[in-house]
Amino acid sequence: MDKGKSEKITFKVQRYNPEEDGGPHFQEFVVPSSRGMTVLDGLIYIKENIDSTLAFRTSCRMAICGSCGILVNNYPHLACHTQIEEFNSSRLTIKPLPNHQIIKDLVVDLNPLFETHKAIKPYILRDDGKEMENPTAEFAQSSQALEAFLQFTYCIKCGICISACPTSASDKLFTGPQALAQCYRYCADNRDEGDLERFPVVDTEHGVWHCHLAGACSEACPKGLDPALAIQLLKRRMVSRAVGLGKKEPPAQTLPPLTETKPKIPFPDFTVGENKQATSEG
């Protein structure tokens, strides 16, 4: 696609309105497309110029919020992060994310994802409640300790990993790769000691042991996370705790108060006024 050249792209969009009779069906729209245009740009064009009833979800347009996850040509993408020219085709088939209940058109219900995410207690858990309630300093954490779980902090809760997961497709009660990966993220945080509070949530018939390591969640993740790896590390962690293998490290302690202050670096005097004065005198 040449820069600045406009081409016609056919969007074959799945439509569904639960308030009307009939099930999901497809409707085609012809959209002018130019280089750099995203799938989300195309959907916005349809809504603003062709059919204002088209429903889809969007917010940041920067692949940060995770709102615009959809299926494009049978593969999950963030609409705002995916350019039309990547498909090298004049036709795009747009569907809502699978493994989620459809609310309308391309909008799916992400409430189950959020509820499951909250169930694994996605925050630091510690026994020293006094420090947690009234912090006096930050907890120490080395760069090596951060590296152990850093990639999993980039999750934007878009639901794409769940839509790609074959276990989520066959088991509606499956905890899912998003929550399982985040469970490991917090358990692996050296500031945390909430393993025993989280393990019962995921150690169930529909929990971590139901993952068959298909790896589809990691392949589809738009942020480059590896949820499949996190799930396997979570399994290893749970087994190690159950059989008493490995040495359990104490949680990170608070940093000692600073006793020394860095000397202030002197800076030169401002010269703007002097330059103005020299100019006026000249």
Side-chain angles (χ1 to χ4, degrees):
M1 188 179 295
D2 296 333
K3 185 176 182 180
K5 182 181 178 181
S6 179
E7 297 185 5
K8 300 295 184 181
I9 303 294
T10 300
F11 275 56
K12 183 181 178 182
V13 184
Q14 179 175 310
R15 307 296 302 273
Y16 172 65
N17 187 346
E19 297 180 357
E20 298 177 357
D21 294 332
H25 61 281
F26 286 98
Q27 183 177 359
E28 293 190 357
F29 305 93
V30 177
V31 176
S33 173
S34 57
R35 186 175 183 182
M37 187 173 177
T38 65
V39 176
L40 178 59
D41 291 332
L43 293 174
I44 292 175
Y45 178 88
I46 294 172
K47 189 171 184 67
E48 292 181 346
N49 298 278
I50 304 177
D51 188 345
S52 61
T53 66
L54 178 63
F56 56 91
R57 184 186 285 121
T58 181
S59 183
C60 73
R61 306 192 190 188
M62 299 169 61
I64 294 175
C65 71
S67 297
C68 63
I70 54 173
L71 211 65
V72 184
N73 288 358
N74 292 319
Y75 197 83
H77 295 274
L78 289 178
C80 71
H81 189 58
T82 307
Q83 296 188 9
I84 293 174
E85 62 183 321
E86 293 180 21
F87 299 95
N88 195 29
S89 173
S90 61
R91 294 180 63 86
L92 298 181
T93 300
I94 313 295
K95 302 178 185 177
L97 290 178
N99 303 339
H100 300 278
Q101 184 177 353
I102 303 174
I103 296 177
K104 184 180 179 182
D105 294 340
L106 304 177
V107 181
V108 297
D109 185 6
L110 294 179
N111 280 322
L113 180 153
F114 300 140
E115 292 301 320
T116 307
H117 177 75
K118 289 192 295 184
I120 58 99
K121 300 183 178 181
Y123 41 84
I124 300 296
L125 295 171
R126 293 176 64 96
D127 293 335
D128 50 349
K130 183 177 180 181
E131 179 65 26
M132 293 295 291
E133 291 294 330
N134 298 286
T136 59
E138 57 184 305
F139 296 116
Q141 187 168 77
S142 66
S143 57
Q144 292 79 9
L146 175 63
E147 187 67 25
F149 65 89
L150 179 61
Q151 67 153 305
F152 307 117
T153 67
Y154 299 141
C155 173
I156 57 175
K157 306 172 190 64
C158 60
I160 283 180
C161 60
I162 297 174
S163 70
C165 174
T167 305
S168 295
S170 60
D171 181 5
K172 298 303 180 184
L173 299 178
F174 179 49
T175 305
Q178 190 279 332
L180 291 174
Q182 291 308 295
C183 181
Y184 175 75
R185 172 259 180 273
Y186 284 96
C187 289
D189 194 321
N190 73 316
R191 300 166 297 179
D192 183 88
E193 50 184 340
D195 288 22
L196 297 182
E197 292 190 48
R198 298 190 185 94
F199 286 174
V201 179
V202 299
D203 189 12
T204 67
E205 179 183 357
H206 304 283
V208 65
W209 310 110
H210 207 176
C211 170
H212 305 307
L213 193 55
C217 55
S218 298
E219 182 180 353
C221 178
K223 302 302 287 185
L225 278 69
D226 192 350
L229 171 63
I231 295 172
Q232 303 315 304
L233 293 175
L234 178 61
K235 290 178 180 178
R236 184 173 70 177
R237 189 181 187 93
M238 294 174 66
V239 171
S240 297
R241 293 288 185 270
V243 301
L245 293 176
K247 182 180 178 181
K248 189 176 184 304
E249 299 292 335
Q253 301 301 307
T254 56
L255 290 169
L258 293 175
T259 57
E260 297 181 2
T261 58
K262 294 182 179 180
K264 293 184 178 180
I265 300 176
F267 55 87
D269 295 333
F270 292 104
T271 58
V272 177
E274 296 177 2
N275 289 338
K276 287 184 177 179
Q277 183 178 2
T279 301
S280 62
E281 291 178 353

